[in-house]
Amino acid sequence: MSETLPDRSSEAQRLHRELEAVWGNPTGWRALTVVNHSTLGLRFMATGLVFFLLGGVLAMLVRAQLALPDHDFMSPDIYSQVTTMHGTVMMFLFAIPMLEGLAIYLIPKMIGARDLVCPRLTAFGYWCYLFGGIILFASLLLEMAPDSGWFMYTPLSSGEFSPGLGSDFWLLGITFVEISALSAGVELTVSILRTRSPGMALHRMPLFAWYILAMALMIVVGFPPLILGSVLLELERAAGMPFFAVEGGGDPVLWQHLFWLFGHPEVYIIFLPAAGIVSTLIPVFAGRPIVGYGWVVAAILITGFISFGLWVHHMFTVGIPQLAQAFFSAASMLVAVPTAIQVFVWMATLWLGRPRMTLPMLWILGFLVIFVCGGLTGVMLALVPFNWQVHDTHFVVAHLHYVLVGGMLFPLLAGLYYWLPLVSGRLPSERLGRLGFWLTFLGFNLTFLIMHVTGLLGMPRRVYTYDAGLGWEPYNLVSSVGGFMMAAGIATVLLDLALHARFGRPSPRNPWGADTLEWSLAMPPASYNFASLPRVETRHPLWDNPRLGAEIARGEHALAGSTHGRRELIGSEALTGRVRDIIHLPTSSWWPLAAALMLAVVCISLLMRLYPLALAAFMAAGVLLLRWSWENGGHPLAAPLGHDEPVDPPLHSRTQDGPGRWTMGVALLADGAFFLSLLFGWFYLWAVSPRWQMPASSPLSLALLLGAGTLLLVAVGWLERRLRALDAGEDAGLAAALYGIAALGGLHLLLAVVMLWQAGLAPTASAQDAVLLVGLLYVLLHGGLVSLLTVLQARRATLGYVSARLPLEPRVVALLWRYQLGSYWILAAATGLLPRVIGGGP
Amino acid sequence: MTAHTAWRNPGHPVQLLLGLTIWSLWFVALYGGLSIACAVAPPAPGQGALTALNLWLGLFTLATLGALLWLARCCLSAVRREPVRAARFIAAVAAGLHLFAAGGVAFVGLPLVALPPCL
Amino acid sequence: MGVKPAVLLSLLLAGCTGEHSILDPAGPAARDVAWLWWGMLSAFSLVFLGVVGTWLAAFRRREHPERSPSEERRLALRWILGGGILLPGVTILLLLAFGVPAGQRLLPLPLPGGESPRTIEVVGHQWWWEVRYPDEAGEVVTANQLAMPAGEPVDFHVTGGDVIHAFWVPRLGGKIDMLPGRVNRIRLEADDPGVFGAQCAEFCGAQHARMHLHVEAMAPEEFEAWLAARRSPPAQAEGHDVARETFVEHCARCHRVEGLSDGREGPDLSDIGSRATLGAGVMAMEEGAIARWLAEHQRLKPGNHMPAHDQLDTEALEAIGAWLETLRP
């Protein structure tokens, strides 16, 4: 590492060596064990860039095919694969992971932390992304790529109409990649809430962190519906359960609901971090604080919520009652308000400041032009009658590229140019950078501005060719020329990036005169980020104290150096940023890679229909994950109990509410979203599926249903009592009690299995039984997991890793118990009790 | 500390999510209620917008609107009282969010007066 | 949208017309939407120019008047309230006020007189259209062509035969999805007789691009005649006995010809000789076209579900083609 420390004093050098020994990445083969957020953030972004280029090549293939009428450059089925993969790669393998990578890289540096709060999860997420992406993209090379369009509408994507492996590649690969998004979502949320600098209360947090917090929570709530949809569709394809098939009582429209329940928030999941870049850069280049910080925070939260209420605007032509369409239409228009608030906040900030025109600002201006345009066509599309005309035409294609390229790619490139000196210590070439911008900007508008007209002239999307004489030829040709021009622009940008690494001028410190903490670091930052952790009681730490970087490097702030050889950072209170605990983080580990590899085996064996192997690999992955979780808390490899421990603030594993509990809470939010999606599916099919058949009485035995639930209730009650005792410092007999609770959980599981057995479900014959089966398997899986975790807790209590002094872990597991209790009873009420009360039938 | 750990307190971060959560629940109930009512007992298409279903959904909308406005008022009056700076910020933003949620309820509910429910 | 207004305008003026153009409406529903479009385009272009113009002006400004923090706050608040809340608020209220009534026109509400409009059923298949005219006097079935009366509203009842398709006649009005297991309704009206292009609008597989529907609006009496002519079996042309036999042997399982076969897998061929195109718009109907289609259809429309006819020689295909061309009412 050749970073230039902000301070070259001998004290700074000593601290650097000391911290580097603890935080430094291993090299050689052991580089695969790295868990450091900077390294992994860069890996995410580099991998995302590769997929972006691959997706771009696919786009060029599409434009080449459409350049001329009746062009036979590609056969229809290859064209379908190429368009499907272009959308899929850009959305799932580029946009989301790229922005996650940026957040993973930047967030700890911006909020004054040394790493994210779950470093091994970062690594696990990266491997899932990489393996999932490779599996998905391999399908294209094998000429077996999915070809039903990137939103995979059933029944086109189902077994009957897509008999090949294409859809399976999509469903399994995307689910695999989504594990990565979820892990990033969970840990970013907890990191932002729990590991900010002391004093960095919520209202002093950099706006970028607010944007990422919203993005992370939206991922946590928004991705599970698609994961559920993918699981159900894969079950339909592999096992014949008719969730989406009308003949069996399913409904193809359910897939559309689940897909867009994810798909629309996804657009804002992509847009929010990009807007966060804009909100970070504009004050810096305007040379003044952003006006209306609170307004922006409100706009972020509004966008996050409202975006979950718009999904039906992708389905206005499905035949939903017009009043319902009007609700969604109004909600879609509503989202213009927070967006307009942000646009005018940015505008007022520039107006009241003294803006400098730099390379990053050029991209921001490009963003503004394109995004405002895309936003306005978005409002048009929210209008139902207009939507009926242009839906599924090239007008929509043009609109979505305006929103996604304008709203994500342009700010991303602005951010890339802005933070480049931080990562590399060098400046890019102004001249090449400007050329790249203008080629991209003009090429983009040439392609997509014209494409609005193509759509208005009636050209549907996803057609592999079109007849001459419909008036579409000149527009398509222009779009294709523009597409290649944009590709040349992107190539110029990449060339600039490549050249800058070798020939770029060394950057001065804080080259843009920025206000946020990341610019107080060495360039490139050291593995531990901060040699000491500063107090931050302002929104603009570097404007208020330009010497902060040197102070940090000299160790003038908290937790300077590392005397005990463990990675540590400060845990703070979510609202006020007051210090709460000292968090000890795990170091490099093989477990994330091993677990992800095992999941890759699951994925591939499911693709090859080797179900026993898939099951074995799934179990193995579970064992690996549990083994990983074993090295935590009071374990000798983590932070064993000692005599001279800090008590004020205490170590996180010695508290009742460490970050692990928050992580479990946020993860359960995702789990709950999955469960609610399943319930939505149940009620949706019940209410509107054309041929849903509900038997007169529920197939689930009432006695067993209530019995299993009561056992669960007793187990949770017992656990809660033990927790209260633990709070009072009473841990005698803890291990035995935990074994007892686990045994109750096992008994609950047994009754549920018997109930499932007795029900005699016919999941391939009726959608009702199929949903019931999935619901029961869901509670069985959770029941099994929570019982197993409790057995492990009992064992840990015996070994002394859990006790009155180490009370955190049982509290983490208790959350899962409560969740299981709630979800079991809700499922029992919805599927076992409600049909008994109000009777079956549609 | 205890002053803003209770989630009902206008300065608690949960307030940032409360108003829009109520908006979301109202939205789900509106759409779900409409869908179920249309599946079970659709009113005759000739009735136009003047059906019992529209009326019930409209009353529900007004009730939600009232609740949100009341919450907004609570937060707004707390802005002046709250001693902790961070909590004051939360209360102010939450007041704005409650107001927006109320506006959202009113705006999204508007088509209830014009459109027949199940066509 | 306004980025290069001159370029856009000239392009638009050159090419608003077209068989599929939304901007060349031929019915009340499409006309409403076209007006909505022009209205929104004008208003939003102004918004766009205003926003981008102000941003650019912020960069070009030379003098920066000294403002106290409270003045700055007031100014910012005015911008945020005006631009961030009032502007979008008023815009979307106006849009909703225009949009809801425009949408109501497409609702299959009872007509003022109480009678219900004529119903035409359309079923989407991979990759062709089945069109049915239910009628007490006897149902008429045809494929890939749709005749409708002009000057009166028509209700279309659409559904999907296999996957999801979408029914869309751009010059008449909006589109509606054709879902398997459900019937969706849409009301369209053509002002005057004429021919309109239509194409499947929901991606439905490899040949989504080759799924055209030939829509023709006729004067009502002409339409009645068109319908009446198809209620009776087509006249049997002289000769063609061999072709008929070959057809019954090889094609009848999938294709229906009134009075001869009852296959339902593929398009009904009872009036194929009278259609304007073949293969759902792949080629124009002309002499010898059917035989060519039969011989080369997997090259002309790769992946279509009709098997290749390698077992039949060219002569047999030509005979079948010649006979089918005579099938016209």
Side-chain angles (χ1 to χ4, degrees):
Chain A
M1 288 238 159
S2 64
E3 64 272 315
T4 48
L5 284 176
D7 188 289
R8 291 171 186 280
S9 68
S10 60
E11 175 59 10
Q13 299 290 354
R14 188 190 66 75
L15 277 178
H16 174 64
R17 275 194 304 278
E18 189 175 303
L19 282 160
E20 194 60 40
V22 177
W23 288 84
N25 284 334
T27 50
W29 274 108
R30 293 186 52 86
L32 296 174
T33 65
V34 166
V35 296
N36 182 284
H37 78 100
S38 296
T39 313
L40 286 162
L42 293 177
R43 279 188 198 168
F44 260 102
M45 286 193 274
T47 314
L49 186 66
V50 171
F51 281 118
F52 172 64
L53 295 179
L54 292 172
V57 170
L58 296 176
M60 291 305 103
L61 292 178
V62 170
R63 277 322 322 167
Q65 166 74 10
L66 292 182
L68 302 170
D70 295 312
H71 203 189
D72 56 359
F73 175 68
M74 273 188 278
S75 70
D77 46 319
I78 295 290
Y79 181 84
S80 302
Q81 294 184 22
V82 167
T83 44
T84 303
M85 284 300 281
H86 166 67
T88 306
V89 166
M90 287 302 195
M91 289 300 235
F92 294 99
L93 303 185
F94 163 61
I96 299 269
M98 190 75 176
L99 292 165
E100 280 164 12
L102 186 71
I104 286 171
Y105 184 83
L106 282 178
I107 281 295
K109 299 182 176 67
M110 279 190 156
I111 61 174
R114 284 173 172 158
D115 203 337
L116 291 169
V117 79
C118 317
R120 291 177 296 187
L121 197 58
T122 326
F124 178 66
Y126 175 72
W127 295 121
C128 286
Y129 163 46
L130 182 69
F131 297 151
I134 290 175
I135 290 172
L136 188 56
F137 206 86
S139 69
L140 199 60
L141 304 179
L142 298 170
E143 285 191 40
M144 296 198 244
D147 57 1
S148 320
W150 82 272
F151 33 80
M152 294 291 287
Y153 275 6
T154 58
L156 184 59
S157 58
S158 62
E160 190 184 347
F161 299 102
S162 293
L165 283 182
S167 300
D168 303 307
F169 268 109
W170 194 96
L171 297 166
L172 296 166
I174 290 299
T175 304
F176 201 8
V177 173
E178 287 188 335
I179 296 176
S180 135
L182 279 177
S183 17
V186 170
E187 69 167 337
L188 283 169
T189 306
V190 180
S191 296
I192 293 173
L193 290 177
R194 283 288 269 107
T195 64
R196 297 197 306 273
S197 283
M200 192 188 272
L202 270 187
H203 69 287
R204 299 192 186 112
M205 190 159 87
L207 275 176
F208 187 75
W210 275 106
Y211 281 100
I212 296 300
L213 181 61
M215 171 199 86
L217 281 169
M218 286 175 71
I219 288 179
V220 166
V221 182
F223 275 49
L226 181 61
I227 296 183
L228 173 75
S230 303
V231 169
L232 297 188
L233 184 51
E234 187 54 36
L235 280 173
E236 178 174 304
R237 289 179 56 87
M241 300 187 194
F243 300 103
F244 309 110
V246 175
E247 311 85 67
D251 188 350
V253 180
L254 175 61
W255 168 265
Q256 302 190 13
H257 278 292
L258 290 174
F259 186 88
W260 291 117
L261 211 50
F262 143 84
H264 199 82
E266 146 120 341
V267 175
Y268 291 90
I269 289 171
I270 291 171
F271 168 64
L272 280 179
I277 296 174
V278 180
S279 286
T280 307
L281 265 59
I282 282 189
V284 171
F285 291 108
R288 59 153 294 134
I290 199 152
V291 303
Y293 176 95
W295 286 94
V296 177
V297 172
I300 296 168
L301 293 170
I302 292 172
T303 311
F305 270 89
I306 303 280
S307 66
F308 281 91
L310 322 178
W311 80 93
V312 169
H313 81 210
H314 297 267
M315 302 163 59
F316 277 161
T317 62
V318 162
I320 287 163
Q322 223 194 341
L323 181 58
Q325 295 191 30
F327 298 151
F328 286 97
S329 167
S332 310
M333 293 176 185
L334 221 47
V335 89
V337 175
T339 313
I341 291 178
Q342 290 172 78
V343 168
F344 277 81
V345 163
W346 296 328
M347 197 194 277
T349 308
L350 286 175
W351 191 263
L352 293 173
R354 288 160 194 273
R356 287 177 283 159
M357 185 51 97
T358 55
L359 200 48
M361 272 317 263
L362 199 58
W363 286 98
I364 296 278
L365 271 184
F367 147 79
L368 176 85
V369 171
I370 295 175
F371 182 73
V372 169
C373 197
L376 290 171
T377 52
V379 176
M380 294 181 183
L381 281 168
L383 195 66
V384 177
F386 184 68
N387 184 294
W388 284 340
Q389 274 290 26
V390 293
H391 174 70
D392 271 336
T393 67
H394 272 75
F395 187 90
V396 169
V397 179
H399 158 74
L400 76 91
H401 283 90
Y402 262 76
V403 176
L404 291 173
V405 176
M408 184 267 175
L409 186 67
F410 275 67
L412 182 76
L413 284 168
L416 209 63
Y417 272 115
Y418 174 76
W419 280 296
L420 201 59
L422 179 67
V423 179
S424 68
R426 292 170 187 274
L427 292 168
S429 144
E430 190 81 5
R431 192 179 300 165
L432 212 51
R434 279 177 193 267
L435 178 67
F437 168 79
W438 283 110
L439 278 174
T440 311
F441 181 76
L442 294 175
F444 174 83
N445 282 299
L446 205 56
T447 311
F448 293 105
L449 189 69
I450 302 303
M451 201 181 278
H452 288 106
V453 184
T454 325
L456 289 170
L457 291 179
M459 181 160 163
R461 72 196 282 194
R462 294 176 175 170
V463 291
Y464 71 90
T465 192
Y466 51 94
D467 291 334
L470 296 171
W472 302 340
E473 304 95 311
Y475 304 99
N476 274 299
L477 188 59
V478 171
S479 282
S480 293
V481 171
F484 284 96
M485 188 166 156
M486 182 178 170
I490 298 290
T492 313
V493 171
L494 290 178
L495 181 69
D496 190 15
L497 293 188
L499 288 180
H500 115 283
R502 181 82 183 75
F503 304 107
R505 275 187 301 126
S507 163
R509 303 198 46 71
N510 194 359
W512 316 111
D515 58 337
T516 39
L517 276 181
E518 77 272 23
W519 294 103
S520 69
L521 302 179
M523 292 166 56
S527 56
Y528 51 84
N529 291 341
F530 298 88
S532 59
L533 302 174
R535 255 194 101 68
V536 175
E537 291 186 325
T538 154
R539 282 182 196 156
H540 317 285
L542 291 195
W543 283 348
D544 292 356
N545 177 10
R547 301 196 31 75
L548 190 62
E551 289 174 21
I552 290 171
R554 281 200 303 271
E556 290 176 14
H557 297 277
L559 295 188
S562 176
T563 46
H564 43 61
R566 285 200 296 269
R567 302 184 175 188
E568 63 178 353
L569 52 95
I570 290 177
S572 50
E573 210 176 273
L575 174 64
T576 57
R578 258 193 287 252
V579 177
R580 247 177 101 148
D581 42 20
I582 304 290
I583 299 170
H584 278 204
L585 296 179
T587 51
S588 305
S589 160
W590 284 104
W591 299 120
L593 175 60
L597 266 177
M598 211 39 91
L599 284 182
V601 174
V602 174
C603 190
I604 292 170
S605 46
L606 282 175
L607 270 174
M608 300 174 73
R609 312 251 147 129
L610 301 171
Y611 298 123
L613 178 61
L615 189 66
F618 183 75
M619 304 285 231
V623 170
L624 286 168
L625 289 168
L626 289 173
R627 180 64 190 75
W628 154 358
S629 76
W630 190 253
E631 291 170 10
N632 251 330
H635 188 276
L637 284 177
L641 279 177
H643 296 294
D644 52 347
E645 289 196 349
V647 282
D648 187 28
L651 285 187
H652 76 279
S653 48
R654 279 59 160 168
T655 67
Q656 293 160 359
D657 195 18
R661 191 157 173 274
W662 288 62
T663 312
M664 177 60 103
V666 180
L668 286 177
L669 209 57
D671 207 352
F674 183 90
F675 180 69
L676 284 180
S677 307
L678 184 65
L679 273 187
F680 166 76
W682 168 260
F683 284 115
Y684 175 86
L685 290 178
W686 191 353
V688 298
S689 168
R691 288 191 216 154
W692 174 260
Q693 279 156 358
M694 189 77 112
S697 71
S698 168
L700 305 179
S701 146
L702 192 61
L704 287 171
L705 194 70
L706 299 179
T710 312
L711 278 173
L712 195 57
L713 200 61
V714 174
V716 175
W718 189 359
L719 180 65
E720 299 289 346
R721 252 190 50 206
R722 287 305 312 198
L723 288 181
R724 277 198 296 279
L726 215 51
D727 288 353
E730 174 59 56
D731 58 6
L734 180 63
L738 287 170
Y739 277 124
I741 293 164
L744 278 180
L747 217 53
H748 153 76
L749 210 59
L750 189 68
L751 288 195
V753 170
V754 173
M755 175 170 72
L756 178 58
W757 188 266
Q758 273 196 350
L761 299 178
T764 53
S766 97
Q768 194 233 354
D769 284 9
V771 179
L772 213 51
L773 179 66
V774 172
L776 287 174
L777 287 178
Y778 177 88
V779 290
L780 284 178
L781 200 65
H782 281 70
L785 178 67
V786 76
S787 304
L788 187 58
L789 286 179
T790 310
V791 170
L792 293 178
Q793 281 298 304
R795 178 77 192 128
R796 287 173 80 83
T798 318
L799 292 172
Y801 305 159
V802 168
S803 63
R805 281 184 67 196
L806 289 159
L808 176 60
E809 289 177 18
R811 292 196 154 268
V812 177
V813 177
L815 287 183
L816 190 57
W817 274 105
R818 287 178 205 156
Y819 177 83
Q820 169 72 357
L821 182 67
S823 58
Y824 178 86
W825 276 107
I826 292 173
L827 189 79
T831 62
L833 304 179
L834 198 61
R836 281 189 163 86
V837 177
I838 61 175
Chain B
M1 169 133 177
T2 45
H4 40 88
T5 40
W7 67 271
R8 281 190 306 270
N9 191 301
H12 192 275
V14 164
Q15 292 288 338
L16 293 180
L17 309 179
L18 185 64
L20 289 161
T21 304
I22 293 176
W23 178 86
S24 313
L25 293 176
W26 164 80
F27 190 77
V28 169
L30 188 72
Y31 174 52
L34 179 71
S35 303
I36 289 172
C38 285
V40 177
Q47 274 182 281
L50 300 168
T51 66
L53 183 55
N54 286 52
L55 181 70
W56 282 115
L57 293 175
L59 287 177
F60 173 54
T61 301
L62 286 177
T64 314
L65 184 65
L68 283 167
L69 287 174
W70 180 75
L71 283 171
R73 232 201 77 196
C74 289
C75 282
L76 217 50
S77 63
V79 174
R80 270 164 279 133
R81 283 183 282 120
E82 186 61 59
V84 183
R85 181 85 215 281
R88 202 155 59 227
F89 171 79
I90 299 285
V93 175
L97 290 173
H98 287 128
L99 272 179
F100 181 87
V105 165
F107 183 68
V108 175
L110 217 51
L112 278 173
V113 298
L115 283 173
C118 300
L119 282 175
Chain C
M1 278 203 32
V3 172
K4 296 165 208 128
V7 180
L8 183 58
L9 200 65
S10 59
L11 279 171
L12 280 178
L13 291 177
C16 273
T17 55
E19 264 185 63
H20 294 251
S21 174
I22 296 163
L23 305 177
D24 186 13
R31 198 160 39 247
D32 281 357
V33 175
W35 279 117
L36 274 177
W37 156 252
W38 290 116
M40 290 192 293
L41 178 67
S42 329
F44 288 3
S45 295
L46 288 179
V47 173
F48 175 80
L49 291 175
V51 171
V52 173
T54 320
W55 271 60
L56 291 177
F59 274 95
R60 305 229 157 236
R61 231 149 49 102
R62 283 284 162 263
E63 72 272 25
H64 294 272
E66 281 304 317
R67 289 192 181 87
S68 71
S70 70
E71 276 174 335
E72 286 194 342
R73 253 201 310 280
R74 252 199 315 278
L75 183 96
L77 191 67
R78 226 174 298 147
W79 283 38
I80 294 169
L81 287 176
I85 297 199
L86 203 62
L87 176 71
V90 170
T91 311
I92 60 181
L93 262 175
L94 280 175
L95 273 182
L96 211 60
F98 280 108
V100 168
Q104 256 172 323
R105 269 184 206 266
L106 280 97
L107 287 183
L109 288 166
L111 290 178
E115 84 268 38
S116 47
R118 171 176 293 282
T119 300
I120 301 177
E121 295 172 4
V122 188
V123 187
H125 297 273
Q126 272 183 333
W127 292 279
W128 58 281
W129 305 85
E130 177 184 347
V131 181
R132 319 175 72 92
Y133 298 83
D135 199 316
E136 287 111 48
E139 189 183 49
V140 169
V141 182
T142 183
N144 298 332
Q145 66 172 350
L146 191 157
M148 63 185 280
E152 62 183 72
V154 178
D155 279 0
F156 291 90
H157 291 195
V158 306
T159 188
D162 35 45
V163 301
I164 302 174
H165 305 268
F167 175 70
W168 184 35
V169 190
R171 293 188 58 203
L172 298 187
K175 58 181 75 66
I176 187 90
D177 287 355
M178 313 171 94
L179 298 156
R182 269 167 215 255
V183 176
N184 274 331
R185 274 168 280 249
I186 190 167
R187 179 168 296 171
L188 297 174
E189 182 177 340
D191 296 328
D192 299 302
V195 172
F196 311 112
Q199 184 173 357
C200 177
E202 178 68 65
F203 182 64
C204 57
Q207 284 299 340
H208 170 54
R210 296 288 192 207
M211 189 169 161
H212 288 266
L213 177 64
H214 179 86
V215 178
E216 188 170 353
M218 308 168 175
E221 57 277 23
E222 208 182 318
F223 171 71
E224 288 304 333
W226 184 92
L227 215 49
R230 280 163 177 76
R231 282 204 192 100
S232 47
Q236 298 285 333
E238 289 301 306
H240 300 299
D241 292 340
V242 181
R244 248 197 300 273
E245 272 165 35
T246 327
F247 178 87
V248 168
E249 190 183 333
H250 292 280
C251 319
R253 206 164 47 80
C254 298
H255 290 287
R256 176 171 172 275
V257 168
E258 173 103 48
L260 187 66
S261 65
D262 206 28
R264 301 273 171 170
E265 293 282 300
D268 190 306
L269 303 178
S270 304
D271 65 347
I272 185 169
S274 70
R275 295 178 195 163
T277 65
L278 254 180
V282 171
M283 54 203 287
M285 181 70 86
E286 53 204 9
E287 207 179 315
I290 298 184
R292 186 165 157 242
W293 165 255
L294 287 176
E296 300 180 27
H297 66 91
Q298 282 300 346
R299 195 181 61 73
L300 293 164
K301 189 172 177 176
N304 81 73
H305 293 323
M306 178 155 72
H309 302 111
D310 299 335
Q311 75 280 30
L312 294 174
D313 56 23
T314 316
E315 220 168 289
L317 293 178
E318 275 169 4
I320 293 177
W323 166 63
L324 285 174
E325 277 167 22
T326 68
L327 294 181
R328 56 178 79 216

